[in-house]
Structure formats: structure tokens, C-alpha cells
Amino acid sequence: MQDLDFDFWLFLAGLGIFLFGMHHLEDGIKGLAGKSFKNLLKKFTNRSWKGILTGTFVTGILQSSSMVNLLILAFLGAGMINLKNALGVILGANLGTTFTAWIVATLGFKMNVADFSFPFLALGILSYLFLKGRPVIKNLGLFLIGFGLLFLGLDYMKEAMEAVSGGIDMNIFSQYGLWAFLLVGLIVTALIQSSSAMIVIILSALNSDLIDIYQSVALIIGANIGTTSTLVLGAIGGTADKKRLAFANVVFNVVAGLIAFAFLRQAIDVLLNVFHVTDVLMELVILNTFLNFFGIILFFPFLGLFQRFLKNRFKVSEPVGATIYIKNVPTNVPDVAIKAIQNELTHLYDLTKDFIINVYEVKLENISKLNKWMRIFKVAKNPNDKYDHIKLIEDEMTVFYSNLMKQPLDDDEVKLLEDNMAIMRSLVYASKDVKDIQHNIKNIQDSSESLPIDVLENLKDTINKRFNQYDQLMNLAMHEDLSINFYVENHNVYNENIHFIYNHLKQSKKQTITVSTITNVTKQTISSLNNMYSACKKYCSVYKTDNSEHSDVTSVA
């Protein structure tokens, strides 16, 4: 009994070292190529099948489905990926986690694992301690430490299993059938929060002949279901998107797992006859891979339907706020949070433009016939409500910016954030310029006096023309080096209108709308157009080199 207790602690120590190694391995890879994997996820998730392949590859390398799920959740909130494609990544991440089992089955039980781990630990620890001033070397050291600890922990678990193999009677569980093994796999995985570690435990038990292949697969199915607890726990009190992804992950693994469990013996017999594998460990790894691949085949054709189903769920957990993108994104993923701000700026531009058009009652030339009919039957919204909405967005973006600045950012990210806030302020100033003269514009529209109406019509024509040009800047179709200076153009419009007012004063009868009101409306309108131009010009100068990526993002959004 003493020996059994000692072996139990050896096993527990091995499990702890294995998990600790996984943590360091993940940190090392994030430090070495964290942004590369984020860019890969962003670039290759615009289709469901691409999301599956990318999720598989990234999770296989990072060996952390939790990290991939966190990134996908952030991308989803930022509008960089839609829910259907995010579901594809989740399916791929489940398949990617099988990579650990392949490494362990291929190397872990074929050699003296402890001796194999020592060079990695030695080089990793020395690099981390004495070259920590060099980030690349430091992160490489973390990676080597993680890799070494992974195999050292595996060796302890294998040794403990072999030592106690004769003292454990698996008939205790066998008498209840394979359901008992499925439940054990589920519960243990939910407790240790690592399907990779659970698979290593199962492989160790199988290698020591404690369990057979059928019991092993039942444990694997339970582990795949149990690993969903990580996302479920993270979704408690979280946003609607977080709950949707967690729910989807549970459905994927439970449905695929239970179907596979129902035909477990038949499926195992067929696959073993097809592959003719003699190594029992490789048999389990192949079966585990096919189990996750089966889940992809099962759900891939229905991702669109599943997305629509999920969109109607968890609506009470939708984040509260005037913003669309930043309220869904955590600030602990800075580059994704900054991308969310960019998307929020395009939204704020549209709201500011809509507010100004609404106040001046401008009919844009480039609206479609369908939009014209929509405008006819659309319920009118008070311009003041639109302005209040813009101010709420300003407040939320400012708080988000303040929280984001507390994160570890590089100089380029700080500069980009400051530029984004300058764009936001210019858009808000543009709306305030118009808000201040809103009552004057209304008085002119309600009057029958020709001079103020003519001036207002000239200003509306200018607004129409400018917004068509500013739209090109915001769509990155017009670059700031174009030989047009809209500050000069707007100043010329101002002068033309002032001259028009003074030249027609003598011809006009006594005016109810005073000259000071007309000139003030002219000045504030031009100021608003200049502020809009400041925002659009800076937006274009900041993001014009990112044209293709911007197009992908806005199409998703």
C-alpha cells in the first residue's frame, strides 16, 4: 500500500510537470510567433473550410485549443470573422489537439524519455536565465523548457503506471460497461482542464495493459466531451458570442462523441482491419484522430444553419453599449482590439454622415432605387437622438482606449491608437459643428426667403459632392497624395457663399433670417466638412497600406 501511495504521488507529480510544460511551451510559441499565428487566423478564416484547416494547423502547433478559442472569440467580437467561420475554427481546433497524442505515441514510449528531455531542459533553462535580455532567445528557452518538461512529466506518469499496473483491478469499472469509462474520461478531463494530459494518461494506462483498446476509446470520447468544460466555464457571465461558441463546442463534441460511442466496437473493428496497425498505441491515436475528423464531416454541411440557430440564442447576454465592435472585444488582445477600433471608426463615420445628411435633408446622388424606397417608408428619427448616439460612442471608445493603453503595447501600436482617437475626435467635432446650427438650418428650411434658401442649397450640393469624395477616402480608394486639397476647396466654397450673400443683400427685402445666421451656417458647415476631411484623410493615410485586409474585414462586418 505504501508503494501504491508513492507511485500515486509520482504519477501526480508527472501530471503536474506535464501541464507545467504545456504552459511554458505555449508561452514560448506565443513569444516566438504569436503575431504570426494571429495573422494566420485572421487571413485564412474567411471561409468555413479554411477556418477548419487553419484551426487544425494553429492548434496543432500551439497545442492549446483554449488559446485558439480566445483569439477566435476576440476576432468574432471585432467583426474580423463571422460566426459560421468561427465555428469552423472550433471544429479544426478539436482535430488539432490530437497532435499531442501523435507525438507521445510516436516518441514517448519508444525511448528513454527522461534522458531525451534533459538536453532540452538544460539548454532551455540556461538560455532563459542568462540570455533573458534577448527576447527571441528567451522565448526559445521557454519553448525548450516546455518541451523538456512535457517528456519528463510523461516519463514519471509512465513509470508510475507501470509500477502499479499489477495492483489496480480495472474490473471495478469493467463490470459497469464502457459507459463507466466514458464518464471517467469526462470527469477527469473536466477536473484537470486538459484533454492533452488526459490522452497521455490513457496512453500510459494502455501501454501498461491496464485497459484495452475499447476502454481506451471510451475514455477518449469522454475526454473530448470533458474538454468542453474549459469554454463553458469561460462563458459564464460572458458575452453572447462567448456563450454561442461554448454551446457550439459542447454540441459538436457531445453529438459526435455519443454517435461514435453507439457504434464504438464496430468502428474500432473496421478501422483496425483497414489500417492493419499492430501497435496498440498507434491504434488509439488513429481512432482518436478519426473521432474528431468524424465530427468535422458531421457538422460541416450544417454550419450555416447552425449559425442562424445560434444567432437567435443568448440575446440577453448581448453586450450593452452604443458601439458595435469594441464592446465585444477584450483589451488583453491588443492588436485585435485596435482592429475593432478601426471597424468602430468606419461605423462612426457612417453615423456622423447620416446625422449631417439628416439635419440638412440632403438627398445623396449615389443611393440606389431600393434605398430611395426604403428612405420613403423609413420612420424618421430625431437628429438629436443620432447626435446623442454619436456622443455615447465617443464616451465608450474613450474608456476602451484608456483601458487598452494599460496593456503592454509597442510604439507602433501606441501611435496607431493615438491616430485612431484623433480620427474619432474629428468625426465628433464634425457632428458638433452641425449640432450647434441645427436650429438655424431648420429655420431656413421653414422660411420662404430666397437668399438663405439659395445659400443652404449651395451648401447641400457641396455636402453631397464632398461625401462622395470622402467615401472614397474611407474606402481607401483615394489616397492622400491625390492632387486635391479639400481644405482649400472648402475654403473657396466658403468665400463663394459669403460673396453671394453680400451681392444679393441689396436685392433682397427685409430678411427674417438674419445675415449673421446665414454666414454662421456657412462657416459651421465648412468647419464640419473640414473636420470630416481631417478624419478621412488621416484614416486613409493610416490604413491605405492595409487595403486588402481592410476589404476583407469590412466585407465580414
Side-chain angles (χ1 to χ4, degrees):
M1 198 69 185
Q2 290 295 321
D3 290 341
L4 187 60
D5 288 342
F6 172 78
D7 289 330
F8 170 75
W9 287 112
L10 180 66
F11 172 79
L12 204 60
L15 177 61
I17 292 171
F18 182 89
L19 291 173
F20 196 53
M22 290 285 290
H23 173 74
H24 281 302
L25 192 67
E26 179 183 328
D27 283 348
I29 293 175
K30 278 196 294 184
L32 287 169
K35 286 192 176 180
S36 298
F37 286 119
K38 288 177 189 176
N39 292 334
L40 187 67
L41 278 172
K42 285 188 284 187
K43 188 173 182 180
F44 294 104
T45 50
N46 59 338
R47 295 287 186 275
S48 300
W49 64 269
K50 286 185 181 180
I52 291 172
L53 293 176
T54 306
T56 302
F57 174 75
V58 174
T59 307
I61 299 299
L62 291 180
Q63 278 307 289
S64 174
S65 58
S66 300
M67 178 186 171
V68 173
N69 291 337
L70 171 66
L71 289 175
I72 286 302
L73 183 67
F75 294 160
L76 185 63
M80 297 161 64
I81 180 175
N82 62 32
L83 182 58
K84 179 183 176 182
N85 299 339
L87 295 174
V89 177
I90 295 296
L91 283 173
N94 290 336
L95 182 60
T97 56
T98 64
F99 188 63
T100 302
W102 281 98
I103 294 176
V104 171
T106 305
L107 300 175
F109 296 91
K110 313 295 182 185
M111 61 182 71
N112 190 323
V113 187
D115 292 344
F116 179 72
S117 67
F118 293 151
F120 292 99
L121 288 171
L123 292 173
I125 293 171
L126 291 174
S127 299
Y128 183 79
L129 289 177
F130 297 108
L131 296 171
K132 64 172 62 177
R134 301 174 183 271
V136 174
I137 301 296
K138 176 185 174 183
N139 288 313
L140 181 60
L142 271 178
F143 172 81
L144 294 174
I145 291 170
F147 201 72
L149 289 175
L150 213 65
F151 283 98
L152 185 62
L154 171 62
D155 186 71
Y156 285 169
M157 284 190 283
K158 185 178 71 169
E159 185 180 335
M161 282 290 187
E162 290 172 348
V164 301
S165 59
I168 296 180
D169 185 10
M170 295 305 292
N171 288 326
I172 298 173
F173 299 107
S174 300
Q175 63 182 329
Y176 298 107
L178 294 178
W179 278 102
F181 290 90
L182 184 144
L183 291 174
V184 169
L186 190 158
I187 293 169
V188 174
T189 306
L191 289 174
I192 65 177
Q193 290 292 291
S194 174
S195 60
S196 296
M198 186 60 192
I199 288 171
V200 172
I201 294 172
I202 296 169
L203 285 169
S204 300
L206 182 62
N207 183 64
S208 302
D209 294 326
L210 290 173
I211 52 179
D212 60 32
I213 188 67
Y214 301 101
Q215 295 165 342
S216 301
V217 174
L219 284 167
I220 288 282
I221 293 173
N224 287 340
I225 297 173
T227 194
T228 62
S229 63
T230 303
L231 258 185
V232 170
L233 291 173
I236 296 174
T239 62
D241 283 337
K242 202 166 191 176
K243 290 180 178 178
R244 287 167 186 148
L245 279 183
F247 178 74
N249 197 35
V250 171
V251 171
F252 289 157
N253 285 279
V254 170
V255 173
L258 292 182
I259 292 175
F261 185 79
F263 301 97
L264 186 147
R265 293 187 181 276
Q266 298 91 322
I268 291 175
D269 292 340
V270 169
L271 286 172
L272 294 185
N273 288 330
V274 169
F275 288 96
H276 304 291
V277 180
T278 56
D279 186 342
V280 69
L281 298 180
M282 292 305 297
E283 287 178 3
L284 181 59
V285 171
I286 291 171
L287 289 164
N288 181 37
T289 303
F290 267 91
L291 175 63
N292 286 279
F293 188 70
F294 169 69
I296 293 174
I297 299 298
L298 184 65
F299 285 101
F300 179 71
F302 308 105
L303 287 183
L305 289 172
F306 199 38
Q307 172 189 231
R308 290 191 285 275
F309 169 78
L310 291 173
K311 280 290 186 183
N312 295 320
R313 300 294 178 274
F314 307 107
K315 288 190 173 181
V316 294
S317 298
E318 292 282 2
V320 178
T323 54
I324 292 179
Y325 301 102
I326 62 173
K327 67 183 178 184
N328 293 306
V329 179
T331 55
N332 61 350
V333 190
D335 52 336
V336 179
I338 292 172
K339 182 62 74 173
I341 291 178
Q342 179 191 351
N343 285 348
E344 205 69 65
L345 287 174
T346 60
H347 174 229
L348 182 59
Y349 168 80
D350 288 335
L351 291 177
T352 305
K353 174 181 163 183
D354 185 57
F355 167 69
I356 295 171
I357 288 170
N358 193 195
V359 171
Y360 286 89
E361 297 182 357
V362 174
K363 296 178 181 178
L364 295 182
E365 296 173 352
N366 58 353
I367 60 173
S368 65
K369 291 181 179 179
L370 177 63
N371 284 333
K372 287 178 182 178
W373 283 107
M374 290 176 67
R375 288 172 70 89
I376 290 173
F377 293 104
K378 190 169 124 180
V379 177
K381 189 172 181 180
N382 189 334
N384 289 328
D385 293 338
K386 294 184 177 183
Y387 179 75
D388 291 340
H389 189 65
I390 289 170
K391 294 296 291 181
L392 283 174
I393 289 178
E394 179 192 16
D395 291 342
E396 290 178 27
M397 289 186 72
T398 302
V399 172
F400 189 79
Y401 164 79
S402 177
N403 292 332
L404 189 52
M405 288 295 285
K406 297 174 185 175
Q407 302 295 326
L409 304 172
D410 58 37
D411 292 341
D412 289 339
E413 289 172 330
V414 171
K415 176 67 168 59
L416 183 56
L417 265 179
E418 291 172 348
D419 287 340
N420 283 335
M421 296 308 290
I423 294 168
M424 181 205 72
R425 286 192 297 272
S426 293
L427 290 172
V428 174
Y429 294 156
S431 62
K432 188 177 188 310
D433 286 331
V434 173
K435 171 69 166 58
D436 291 343
I437 56 169
Q438 184 179 339
H439 60 291
N440 298 131
I441 295 171
K442 181 65 176 171
N443 290 337
I444 293 174
Q445 289 168 338
D446 293 339
S447 75
S448 57
E449 297 170 6
S450 59
L451 178 59
I453 289 176
D454 287 343
V455 171
L456 186 60
E457 287 300 318
N458 287 336
L459 292 173
K460 286 166 66 175
D461 289 341
T462 301
I463 291 170
N464 196 343
K465 181 180 179 182
R466 288 291 177 268
F467 279 159
N468 288 333
Q469 294 163 325
Y470 294 169
D471 285 350
Q472 293 182 61
L473 283 168
M474 291 300 291
N475 291 327
L476 308 178
M478 181 188 295
H479 298 296
E480 63 175 341
D481 58 356
L482 196 70
S483 58
I484 299 177
N485 187 328
F486 289 112
Y487 294 125
V488 174
E489 295 284 316
N490 292 337
H491 183 68
N492 291 338
V493 171
Y494 172 77
N495 287 334
E496 289 169 7
N497 276 279
I498 294 298
H499 290 317
F500 179 83
I501 293 168
Y502 291 153
N503 289 337
H504 288 75
L505 276 175
K506 295 178 182 178
Q507 304 171 15
S508 303
K509 298 177 182 179
K510 187 175 180 181
Q511 301 282 329
T512 304
I513 308 295
T514 64
V515 173
S516 63
T517 297
I518 303 172
T519 55
N520 187 49
V521 167
T522 302
K523 180 179 75 69
Q524 291 292 101
T525 302
I526 298 303
S527 176
S528 177
L529 289 175
N530 281 337
N531 277 314
M532 288 289 281
Y533 176 49
S534 294
C536 297
K537 180 182 178 184
K538 183 171 281 293
Y539 182 92
C540 185
S541 67
V542 169
Y543 292 112
K544 68 179 180 180
T545 56
D546 198 22
N547 197 349
S548 60
E549 183 178 349
H550 173 77
S551 299
D552 290 342
V553 172
T554 51
S555 66
V556 171

